[in-house]
Amino acid sequence: MQAAAMAPDGDAVEAAAPASSLIFLGTGCSGALPDVRCLIRPSTPPCATCSQALTLPPGQNPNYRCNTSLLIDYCDNDGTHKYILIDVGKTFREQVLRWFVHHKVPSINSIILTHEHADAVLGLDDVWLVHPRNHKNEIDQVPVFLTQFTMESVGARFPYLVEQKVEEGDEMARVAQLNWTIIECDVDKPFVSSGLKFVPLPVMHGEDYVCLGFLFGRKARVAYLSDVSRILPRTEHKISKYGAGQLDLLILETNRLHGVGHARSSHLTFTETLHTIKRICPKRALLIGMNHEFEHHRENHVLEEWSGREGIPVQLAHDGLRICIDL
């Protein structure tokens, strides 16, 4: 809730709601939901999460989950809105059709990539659909922030996007106009994307694979960790209440509902995610990256009880969720 402010005549007036917001374009795992296997080879009884896909439209079904992706609607001091996209996965076109339209997002201004796996980069080919245009109706280049390792992988998959080459005579070709910027896997080397500062948060995504999360927000501090099996000590210090300061919001993955991961696991399980939240102790947490073991309403009821015991509000996010926040 926003606190009431006082007008010059002494009357209470409602404070303005935050102009910035976070839009969850996707909250699912790499395969997205519903899991196709549950529909073409249904179990007995059928999968409670995936079977809803046949009876509920996606916009009314929080168990319908596209690849994990976050859109930051950042309102600068002058009132200008900039749209910063974190990850562009296999389901990007569907996310544009569903949530850009629903939330009236006209274009994107910059892209940040966490890593080079398919569920984070394979939508780059469709970015031209949401290019901004200048006052002359010309396409503006979109900055893309990524590590050197991710750059090399993207270049091998999409050489035409990196080289910006259109075959001679193919004037109708649609190639995204992207401006590539290399960032470091270092919490002490922040960068600025569309006017908002980001701190890279290196985490392990498997035994020997480093993925990036990001810390951002001048007023409210938000940490986004979408693919993680283990949080490195320097990263945890940067986002912990008992380190550099308490987060206002932690967005953290939880991939599997049951069990505990092992040394070669690529993702956190539900139990490990909750232990991590207790260590970091944010003011609030939202969970992403769920597979079909998570039924939205059932698990949120479990989390409501956990939150009451631990004093940290935690819930599963869902596709299309929009959180107003003062960045």
Side-chain angles (χ1 to χ4, degrees):
M1 294 291 291
Q2 291 290 310
M6 297 301 294
D9 59 5
D11 293 333
V13 295
E14 196 70 20
S20 297
S21 63
L22 308 177
I23 301 172
F24 291 78
L25 298 179
T27 57
C29 55
S30 179
L33 294 184
D35 189 319
V36 172
R37 295 168 296 182
C38 292
L39 302 182
I40 64 175
R41 296 191 297 273
S43 59
T44 304
C47 172
T49 302
C50 297
S51 59
Q52 290 184 19
L54 302 177
T55 57
L56 285 176
Q60 300 174 21
N61 180 9
N63 289 311
Y64 191 102
R65 302 179 186 127
C66 291
N67 291 159
T68 296
S69 179
L70 185 72
L71 184 68
I72 303 169
D73 175 2
Y74 174 57
C75 184
D76 210 339
N77 293 331
D78 63 0
T80 302
H81 284 259
K82 298 291 182 65
Y83 297 95
I84 306 163
L85 179 63
I86 301 182
D87 284 345
V88 193
K90 297 177 284 185
T91 57
F92 178 63
R93 184 177 183 275
E94 181 179 359
Q95 292 164 319
V96 171
L97 289 171
R98 180 162 293 121
W99 302 121
F100 277 54
V101 174
H102 178 78
H103 291 297
K104 297 180 173 57
V105 177
S107 59
I108 59 171
N109 298 99
S110 58
I111 298 170
I112 303 173
L113 299 179
T114 59
H115 64 312
E116 45 78 52
H117 286 171
D119 57 341
V121 306
L122 282 195
L124 284 169
D125 190 58
D126 285 327
V127 165
W128 67 270
L129 295 166
V130 291
H131 259 300
R133 291 181 177 269
N134 61 27
H135 65 284
K136 296 180 180 179
N137 202 34
E138 298 169 337
I139 291 176
D140 283 338
Q141 277 198 329
V142 173
V144 183
F145 298 86
L146 70 174
T147 65
Q148 182 63 43
F149 180 78
T150 299
M151 179 80 253
E152 293 170 3
S153 177
V154 169
R157 288 169 168 168
F158 302 106
Y160 56 93
L161 293 181
V162 174
E163 297 167 7
Q164 299 288 295
K165 287 184 179 178
V166 178
E167 291 193 16
E168 187 176 351
D170 192 3
E171 291 81 9
M172 297 303 292
R174 295 292 184 268
V175 177
Q177 302 298 305
L178 305 175
N179 181 18
W180 308 91
T181 300
I182 302 301
I183 58 176
E184 302 293 331
C185 294
D186 190 334
V187 296
D188 293 324
K189 294 185 178 179
F191 61 95
V192 176
S193 174
S194 298
L196 186 62
K197 186 173 83 169
F198 289 81
V199 175
L201 300 174
V203 296
M204 301 310 297
H205 181 28
E207 187 175 14
D208 56 1
Y209 186 97
V210 176
C211 178
L212 287 183
F214 299 98
L215 173 66
F216 58 92
R218 289 191 295 265
K219 299 174 184 176
R221 298 175 74 240
V222 180
Y224 180 81
L225 301 174
S226 61
D227 291 84
V228 52
S229 56
R230 180 169 58 88
I231 299 179
L232 299 171
R234 289 191 70 199
T235 292
E236 184 159 329
H237 180 271
K238 199 76 174 178
I239 61 177
S240 171
K241 177 181 179 181
Y242 308 104
Q246 188 175 33
L247 293 171
D248 292 280
L249 174 62
L250 172 62
I251 302 170
L252 181 63
E253 83 145 355
T254 182
N255 182 251
R256 291 189 293 120
L257 182 61
H258 305 293
V260 177
H262 49 78
R264 300 180 66 182
S265 296
S266 297
H267 299 278
L268 293 176
T269 65
F270 189 51
T271 299
E272 291 170 328
T273 296
L274 293 180
H275 285 326
T276 300
I277 292 170
K278 285 180 66 174
R279 289 199 318 271
I280 295 174
C281 196
K283 294 178 183 178
R284 181 188 183 190
L286 289 168
L287 307 186
I288 56 175
M290 293 79 68
N291 72 7
H292 70 149
E293 296 171 348
F294 291 82
E295 199 290 312
H296 184 83
H297 301 291
R298 181 187 66 207
E299 266 57 74
N300 267 347
H301 179 69
V302 172
L303 285 170
E304 186 176 358
E305 295 179 347
W306 185 93
S307 300
R309 292 194 306 270
E310 302 297 336
I312 307 172
V314 182
Q315 289 279 274
L316 301 184
H318 61 82
D319 288 22
L321 175 66
R322 186 170 199 157
I323 301 293
C324 293
I325 190 164
D326 202 359
L327 296 174

